[in-house]
Amino acid sequence: QVQLVESGGGLVPAGGSLRLSCAASGRSVSNYAMGWFRQAPGKEREFVAAISWGAGNNPNYADSVKGRFTISRDNAKNTLYLQMNSLKPEDTAVYYCAARPAGSGRYDYWGQGTQVTVSA
């Protein structure tokens, strides 16, 4: 089993930055793909960014965050990050990290989420 715990959320004015962290425990996630998702009030959860486990990491992003958010991972620390710059009010949501084991077609493990609120 893998446990994921997000941190780093908070209240920030528009144009500001935040760095989210997702600490994994239970086992190494170095060979897991990892992702960030978010859910705003009244909306469905949506994909934000993902990073693979292999060489090059192959990060990919939702169009809405491309150029503003950067996903990264530190396998030695078993931790996933999301650097969020130039935040907009529409980025307000609960942000979740998730882990997808190698060979799995879905994200099997999810964190509890961290709230990000961007004020206008």
Side-chain angles (χ1 to χ4, degrees):
Q1 285 288 340
V2 173
Q3 293 79 44
L4 303 173
V5 178
E6 303 93 338
S7 62
L11 174 64
V12 62
S17 297
L18 281 175
R19 188 195 195 202
L20 304 184
S21 299
C22 172
S25 61
R27 63 174 299 168
S28 170
V29 293
S30 61
N31 65 337
Y32 285 40
M34 303 290 293
W36 287 99
F37 295 78
R38 67 187 181 186
Q39 187 168 18
K43 296 187 177 181
E44 294 187 353
R45 186 170 58 195
E46 65 175 2
F47 168 78
V48 174
I51 189 167
S52 67
W53 60 270
N57 287 338
N58 294 322
N60 63 93
Y61 302 92
D63 287 343
S64 59
V65 307
K66 203 171 293 183
R68 300 187 298 121
F69 290 11
T70 302
I71 188 172
S72 62
R73 63 191 301 165
D74 185 335
N75 288 335
K77 295 182 178 180
N78 226 25
T79 300
L80 176 73
Y81 303 99
L82 185 68
Q83 178 66 44
M84 305 186 295
N85 299 328
S86 302
L87 283 161
K88 305 175 181 180
E90 52 264 44
D91 295 318
T92 296
V94 177
Y95 283 71
Y96 300 90
C97 70
R100 178 164 57 90
S104 173
R106 66 178 189 180
Y107 287 90
D108 289 334
Y109 304 101
W110 293 83
Q112 292 300 307
T114 185
Q115 176 70 48
V116 171
T117 303
V118 184
S119 61

